Amino acid sequence: MVAAEGKSAVAENRSPAVDVDVVVIGAGFAGLRHLYDLRQHGLSARCFDEAPEIGGVWYWNRYPGARTDSQSWIFAYSFSEELQNDWTWSERYTPQHEIYAYLNHVADRFGLRDQVTLGTRVASARYDDERELWVVTTDSGEEVTTRFVVSATGPLSAAYKPDFKGVDDFRGEWYMTARWPEDGVDLSGKRVAVIGTGASAVQLIPTIAHTAAHVTVFQRTPNYVIPARNATLHENERESIRERYPDIWKRAREQVFGFDLGLAGRTFDDVTSEEMQLILERGWEIGGFHFVFETFDDVFTDERTNEVVSEFIRNKIRTIVKDEATAELLCPKDYPFCGKRPPLGHFYYETFNRDNVSLVDVSQEPISEITETGVKVGEQVHEADVIIFATGFDAATGAITRMDIRGRGGVSIADKWKDGPSTYLGVAVNDFPNFFMILGPHVPFANAPVVIEDASEWIANLIRYMRDRELTVSNASAEASDEWRDTLTGILNDTVVAKGRNNYFLGDNIPGKAHAPLFYLGGVKRYRDALLKESANDYPGFVMS
């Protein structure tokens, strides 16, 4: 059943009428895909994004060196063979400007742009218990009534900047990697302070070191950085990828983190220590997440394997970085490999061999304040002309809790989640009827587009299921939500991630945030199976009416 022009499909046989069937929040990978899926079911939708252009996080994250850590050919959509065939990726790991162009191309090719209102932030979404609908209010004051709200804000979009004393007194310029100016920043000949050594900083630092007069890196927690081994894709390689796409997507959907990678087929007990070193050397030279997934299958679960791999990387750092003291500071020693998300590096460690790059350890003596002239640690001020905050995100929940979202009885989602998020299957929240999430908390931490497509299709199918049965309300049950939380907590505790440090997987990077699991670590296939089991059995985890 397809609604007539301008008419709500769900509301045709229900009252009161709504402005649109679905309001989608976010116009990045998730939001665009969901607009496409909703249209396939004849559902009307409006999408809002605070950015002035389509692209989501790939509009904002335009700092020097920004690119994917996923292979370019699977950091993409799989729903259109024509799209796969007519788009050309230039490199193994896609630079930001290409992803941004790709998403705008998708919006134009599939006629999605007219449904998107840009430069507009959703300020609140409130469930009206009496009318059984949502009232969404934007920062411009517009109100939209809708039966369903879908958050497509992504897990890494709520930028976090520590509240350092004295920032307003700094006489230079400061920027955030997560909100980089569209016109860029000229760092030529300037003294640059970079605060943070997460994935964004790992990409940024080697790039800006080529033009800055000096780069001072302030490190709280060192990272295990794997060489990306990026390369240009030649036409014969691109043609081969196009021909193999069916197999590529099949493999990605079965791989635990959604990559076009295989399994190692070996564990710690299958090889000698000498063979183990050779296997790790081979993985290191191939680069990318091949090193994680195609060396040993028990890196995440066997502490013996993990310690060998961790020490292997530490020895690589000691080999690459000439200054012994700097090398030791760069070596993670108090948490396991993959206890934090391991970024891919593009000559990251090599950058610390440059004369114009220095490292400041702030793990024991933190940054005390920002002064007029730089960054103060202890009694020393490290002078800078520019400060760059590469301090990451309030992951998974932050983009949602920063909006005033209120469910039944006016309860806010921020209060609901004050002790950690509670969801069912990572797509729904008890007592927030008809509110769904794509890439919210409790979905797999994996190659994002694979998870997005599964969740987006599933949510659109649930809405269609309700429409076909003239159902108005779907509410995830408290019992099903508790069971899902117990499931993902149990899986987490069986992995090394539970022993991570300052880890956004557990909310530990944000002061005051509850220490609680934010992601499902059971893999994309098991997650997809859980979604399909739910829908095949007529949604037993939901109370519908």
Side-chain angles (χ1 to χ4, degrees):
M1 177 173 66
V2 178
E5 183 71 23
K7 189 173 182 181
S8 163
V10 172
E12 279 184 338
N13 302 314
R14 310 291 296 188
S15 62
V18 293
D19 295 324
V20 289
D21 296 322
V22 187
V23 165
V24 180
I25 307 172
F29 258 104
L32 293 179
R33 175 60 205 260
H34 200 53
L35 289 176
Y36 175 86
D37 286 332
L38 293 171
R39 193 176 64 188
Q40 299 306 107
H41 295 308
L43 293 156
S44 62
R46 284 192 68 185
C47 176
F48 297 95
D49 198 300
E50 66 174 310
E53 300 290 344
I54 278 172
V57 71
W58 292 103
Y59 168 80
W60 298 109
N61 281 254
R62 52 178 68 238
Y63 57 84
R67 64 177 64 244
T68 68
D69 273 1
S70 300
Q71 299 139 313
S72 58
W73 53 92
I74 57 163
F75 201 80
Y77 296 116
S78 68
F79 66 84
S80 168
E81 183 178 351
E82 291 77 13
L83 176 62
Q84 291 175 165
N85 287 335
D86 71 11
W87 187 261
T88 298
W89 300 110
S90 66
E91 300 177 43
R92 184 182 182 187
Y93 299 103
T94 315
Q96 176 272 337
H97 67 87
E98 275 191 23
I99 307 170
Y100 173 67
Y102 173 77
L103 291 172
N104 278 271
H105 172 74
V106 169
D108 291 332
R109 182 185 179 95
F110 297 99
L112 305 175
R113 196 176 292 274
D114 290 346
Q115 295 172 274
V116 181
T117 302
L118 294 165
T120 304
R121 180 177 60 85
V122 169
S124 67
R126 299 186 177 221
Y127 186 71
D128 187 317
D129 295 273
E130 184 177 343
R131 295 187 291 168
E132 295 181 330
L133 52 77
W134 286 88
V135 179
V136 176
T137 305
T138 71
D139 59 354
S140 66
E142 181 182 6
E143 283 192 355
V144 181
T145 58
T146 182
R147 190 69 66 193
F148 300 90
V149 174
V150 178
S151 172
T153 51
L156 299 175
S157 61
Y160 169 63
K161 182 177 77 67
D163 187 20
F164 290 116
K165 175 185 175 183
V167 171
D168 293 338
D169 297 327
F170 182 57
R171 292 195 299 231
E173 308 164 35
W174 66 263
Y175 303 94
M176 299 175 67
T177 53
R179 288 292 184 272
W180 200 257
E182 186 171 4
D183 295 335
V185 179
D186 183 7
L187 300 175
S188 301
K190 295 180 180 179
R191 299 166 300 174
V192 182
V194 178
I195 300 176
T197 53
S200 298
V202 165
Q203 294 180 336
L204 171 84
I205 291 164
T207 305
I208 65 173
H210 289 289
T211 56
H214 193 88
V215 178
T216 305
V217 179
F218 296 83
Q219 173 187 274
R220 180 179 64 168
T221 308
N223 246 314
Y224 294 96
V225 180
I226 307 164
R229 311 295 189 207
N230 190 34
T232 299
L233 291 174
H234 298 289
E235 184 55 34
N236 61 336
E237 293 174 287
R238 292 194 287 262
E239 278 302 313
S240 174
I241 289 167
R242 292 186 182 108
E243 292 171 1
R244 294 185 292 109
Y245 254 128
D247 291 335
I248 287 171
W249 285 116
K250 182 177 185 297
R251 189 155 81 144
R253 290 191 171 95
E254 292 177 353
Q255 204 271 343
V256 63
F257 283 87
F259 293 115
D260 179 24
L261 299 171
L263 293 173
R266 69 177 75 88
T267 62
F268 182 90
D269 292 318
D270 294 330
V271 298
T272 66
S273 59
E274 291 80 8
E275 290 170 332
M276 196 169 194
Q277 291 299 312
L278 290 174
I279 291 165
L280 293 174
E281 286 285 359
R282 188 179 306 119
W284 185 266
E285 290 306 313
I286 295 171
F289 290 119
H290 294 272
F291 179 79
V292 182
F293 299 110
E294 294 185 347
T295 52
F296 293 91
D297 292 334
D298 54 356
V299 171
F300 284 85
T301 56
D302 192 316
E303 292 184 7
R304 300 173 302 170
T305 304
N306 192 281
E307 177 52 31
V308 172
V309 176
S310 299
E311 185 61 14
F312 177 88
I313 298 173
R314 288 191 285 263
N315 284 330
K316 284 294 182 182
I317 298 169
R318 292 166 181 140
T319 301
I320 295 168
V321 180
K322 296 176 183 178
D323 182 77
E324 292 184 10
T326 301
E328 289 306 313
L329 288 176
L330 289 166
C331 287
K333 295 172 183 172
D334 59 354
Y335 71 94
F337 176 56
C338 293
K340 287 167 60 76
R341 173 225 197 271
L344 299 191
H346 304 266
F347 304 101
Y348 175 69
Y349 293 125
E350 290 85 347
T351 301
F352 290 93
N353 291 328
R354 297 178 61 99
D355 293 336
N356 69 328
V357 177
S358 57
L359 182 67
V360 178
D361 176 30
V362 295
S363 61
Q364 302 302 314
E365 188 166 31
I367 295 170
S368 56
E369 65 178 305
I370 306 298
T371 71
E372 291 183 350
T373 59
V375 180
K376 187 175 183 180
V377 179
E379 296 304 314
Q380 183 178 0
V381 174
H382 300 267
E383 295 194 346
D385 304 305
V386 178
I387 299 174
I388 298 175
F389 294 97
T391 44
F393 301 90
D394 185 352
T397 58
I400 298 172
T401 58
R402 291 182 187 187
M403 295 181 283
D404 184 15
I405 299 176
R406 295 181 180 268
R408 280 180 171 165
V411 64
S412 76
I413 204 162
D415 287 341
K416 177 88 170 180
W417 287 353
K418 67 180 184 300
D419 296 322
S422 172
T423 77
Y424 182 49
L425 297 172
V427 296
V429 183
N430 171 249
D431 284 338
F432 288 73
N434 297 358
F435 174 77
F436 299 107
M437 302 169 293
I438 304 172
L439 282 194
H442 295 175
V443 300
F445 187 83
N447 177 43
V450 174
V451 183
I452 285 169
E453 295 202 309
D454 286 341
S456 178
E457 288 181 3
W458 190 89
I459 293 167
N461 287 335
L462 187 153
I463 295 173
R464 182 192 65 184
Y465 174 95
M466 293 178 64
R467 177 195 67 188
D468 293 347
R469 290 157 180 79
E470 297 189 5
L471 298 167
T472 305
V473 177
S474 65
N475 181 41
S477 73
E479 294 78 14
S481 301
D482 289 344
E483 184 178 342
W484 182 245
R485 183 184 58 209
D486 291 344
T487 295
L488 64 91
T489 300
I491 294 171
L492 168 72
N493 290 336
D494 288 335
T495 73
V496 298
V497 176
K499 298 180 179 180
R501 179 168 168 256
N502 296 326
N503 192 345
Y504 71 66
F505 287 169
L506 299 168
D508 295 339
N509 65 315
I510 304 297
K513 187 169 182 175
H515 176 86
L518 295 179
F519 298 97
Y520 172 78
L521 298 178
V524 294
K525 184 179 186 302
R526 286 172 65 182
Y527 180 71
R528 184 184 312 108
D529 289 345
L531 289 175
L532 295 178
K533 181 180 179 182
E534 179 73 18
S535 56
N537 289 284
D538 291 328
Y539 306 97
F542 291 83
V543 178
M544 298 189 181
S545 61

